[in-house]
Amino acid sequence: MFTAKYSLLLHPIDADYFLAHQDLIQHLNNIGLLGQARSETRFDVGEQFLSYFCFMGCSPNIELEPQENDQPYCYINIPQPSLQVQSIISKNVKLPRCLHCKAEQSQLVRQLVEQYQNEVICPECSHTFSPNKVNWRKTAVFAKTWIEVGNIYEAEAIPNAQFLTQLEEATQTQWKYAYIRF
Ligand SMILES: [Zn+2]
């Protein structure tokens, strides 16, 4: 089965938000995001997919169904939720800056890859802040529950307001998104 190296991840703004796997699948089925299930976590894109994402440039060359010989295609992956907040940091992460002194937080990335922490300390000015509050410019995700749209390059597709609103209404929480290279 093809596994994407570039994905769009949708995740709750509240890193602590937790939703049972089957409940999230049910909500996403109801709004037409999911098509055929290929495994417990992997789905083809559903009938509403193209109306929920704005594709930039000439992309709808993009394949939306499994291809022969494990060739790339776009799919939805819904991992089992995690009891602890997970750090998912893109290979091409854009380093965030301290909210207080603006120093780039390169150590923070290494710390968070090892384990998510609710509060971190800036090595320059000793100011404490939540990793979820600094600006990673859509290159890091901190979440217990998330949705992966596989095989989307940086900014190749953007979830539209209609979709984000429907997702919020279905799950009773606000969502945002990031582009992750694995
Ligand atoms: Zn600082």
Side-chain angles (χ1 to χ4, degrees), residues 98 100-103 105 122 124-127:
C98 172
H100 189 67
C101 76
K102 311 291 182 210
Q105 302 294 302
C122 172
E124 292 294 325
C125 74
S126 301
H127 192 77

Side-chain angles (χ1 to χ4, degrees), residues 1-4 6-7 36 38 42-45 61-68 70-76 149-152:
M1 197 150 45
F2 166 72
T3 301
Y6 300 81
S7 294
Q36 189 180 338
R38 302 284 174 179
R42 170 78 78 96
F43 298 82
D44 292 354
V45 299
N61 291 324
I62 194 159
E63 299 292 349
L64 299 177
E65 288 175 357
Q67 303 294 302
E68 290 182 359
D70 285 342
Q71 289 300 300
Y73 75 103
C74 194
Y75 58 84
I76 311 288
V149 184
N151 200 38
I152 301 287

Side-chain angles (χ1 to χ4, degrees), residues 26 81 85 148 160 165:
Q26 182 72 54
V85 176
E148 176 187 2
N160 64 26
T165 302

Side-chain angles (χ1 to χ4, degrees), residues 98-112:
C98 172
L99 294 170
H100 189 67
C101 76
K102 311 291 182 210
E104 276 195 343
Q105 302 294 302
S106 52
Q107 284 184 26
L108 178 61
V109 172
R110 281 191 292 277
Q111 277 177 38
L112 291 176

Side-chain angles (χ1 to χ4, degrees), residues 25-158:
I25 289 171
Q26 182 72 54
H27 292 319
L28 298 179
N29 256 323
N30 291 344
I31 63 173
L33 185 71
L34 304 181
Q36 189 180 338
R38 302 284 174 179
S39 76
E40 210 172 288
T41 56
R42 170 78 78 96
F43 298 82
D44 292 354
V45 299
E47 57 190 22
Q48 294 299 324
F49 177 74
L50 288 177
S51 71
Y52 286 156
F53 291 85
C54 175
F55 279 83
M56 305 320 231
C58 52
S59 1
N61 291 324
I62 194 159
E63 299 292 349
L64 299 177
E65 288 175 357
Q67 303 294 302
E68 290 182 359
N69 303 319
D70 285 342
Q71 289 300 300
Y73 75 103
C74 194
Y75 58 84
I76 311 288
N77 181 43
I78 305 172
Q80 291 284 352
S82 167
L83 293 174
Q84 307 295 329
V85 176
Q86 300 296 303
S87 307
I88 307 162
I89 295 177
S90 180
K91 262 190 180 165
N92 69 334
V93 63
K94 293 174 179 157
L95 293 178
R97 290 177 180 276
C98 172
L99 294 170
H100 189 67
C101 76
K102 311 291 182 210
E104 276 195 343
Q105 302 294 302
S106 52
Q107 284 184 26
L108 178 61
V109 172
R110 281 191 292 277
Q111 277 177 38
L112 291 176
V113 165
E114 283 168 22
Q115 192 179 11
Y116 179 80
Q117 296 151 44
N118 286 319
E119 285 232 309
V120 294
I121 301 172
C122 172
E124 292 294 325
C125 74
S126 301
H127 192 77
T128 60
F129 56 88
S130 161
N132 206 27
K133 291 283 189 291
V134 292
N135 187 1
W136 297 81
R137 289 172 285 165
K138 296 187 170 62
T139 59
V141 168
F142 308 106
K144 294 178 175 177
T145 288
W146 65 93
I147 302 162
E148 176 187 2
V149 184
N151 200 38
I152 301 287
Y153 287 77
E154 284 93 353
E156 184 182 31
I158 298 173

